[in-house]
């Protein structure tokens, strides 16, 4: 699923997937804001990062 991300090279927001493929321009981009994907990863791994959980 592509997310609405900023492409620094074009200076515009585009639909870019996790691998860096821009559906708006039809090519891979290398200089883009992937913070939406990083935030999603951090949320998914949140429970596994706490080493002090006592079960």
């Amino acid at each position: 699923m592509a997310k609405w991300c900023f492409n620094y090279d074009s200076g515009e927001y585009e639909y870019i997937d996790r691998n860096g493929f821009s559906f708006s321009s039809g090519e891979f981009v290398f200089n883009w804001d992937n913070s939406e994907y990083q935030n999603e990863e951090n949320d998914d791994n949140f429970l596994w990062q706490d080493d002090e959980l006592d079960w």
Side-chain angles (χ1 to χ4, degrees):
M1 181 171 108
K3 295 187 184 278
W4 192 241
C5 302
F6 188 76
N7 180 348
Y8 292 110
D9 291 333
S10 70
E12 298 179 7
Y13 282 89
E14 303 176 5
Y15 283 105
I16 302 174
D17 72 2
R18 184 176 299 276
N19 297 320
F21 183 79
S22 170
F23 289 94
S24 303
S25 64
E27 60 187 10
F28 282 94
V29 295
F30 299 99
N31 191 12
W32 58 285
D33 179 15
N34 67 346
S35 61
E36 289 293 323
Y37 291 107
Q38 290 174 348
N39 292 340
E40 186 176 274
E41 270 185 31
N42 291 343
D43 289 345
D44 289 345
N45 294 326
F46 176 73
L47 291 176
W48 308 113
Q49 293 175 354
D50 192 354
D51 295 335
E52 296 183 20
L53 287 177
D54 294 327
W55 297 97

